[in-house]
Amino acid sequence: MTNMELVLNMLAEVSTTEISKVENPEGFYESRDVAQRGGNIAGNARREIENVTGKKVVSPHNAKDKKLLG
């Protein structure tokens, strides 16, 4: 997993948290909707980065590949 992937994951999580704080979802379905919208924010950012750079953001590596994070 690259630094960019980690940052986008964090963006999805913090976006979801902030939406949840504002909307106070009750139950599974409302929480799922909030999580999907938070993920969409990060997905849109990923697509925009890929469009501007011409490179894919998602890599086949995982967080255990420490060389990528150093």
Side-chain angles (χ1 to χ4, degrees):
M1 181 175 275
T2 66
N3 286 335
M4 181 70 71
E5 288 174 292
L6 290 172
V7 169
L8 290 171
N9 188 20
M10 292 170 62
L11 176 60
E13 290 176 4
V14 75
S15 298
T16 299
T17 299
E18 292 303 311
I19 294 167
S20 186
K21 286 179 183 177
V22 171
E23 296 187 5
N24 296 315
E26 294 182 17
F28 174 79
Y29 295 106
E30 288 181 14
S31 295
R32 181 183 65 181
D33 179 60
V34 167
Q36 287 174 337
R37 287 187 284 144
N40 285 341
I41 291 169
N44 292 337
R46 177 188 58 82
R47 283 185 287 281
E48 187 167 346
I49 291 165
E50 289 176 342
N51 286 336
V52 170
T53 64
K55 296 192 250 179
K56 293 285 185 186
V57 170
V58 178
S59 75
H61 305 289
N62 62 39
K64 293 179 183 177
D65 297 330
K66 294 178 181 157
K67 293 178 199 173
L68 294 173
L69 301 176

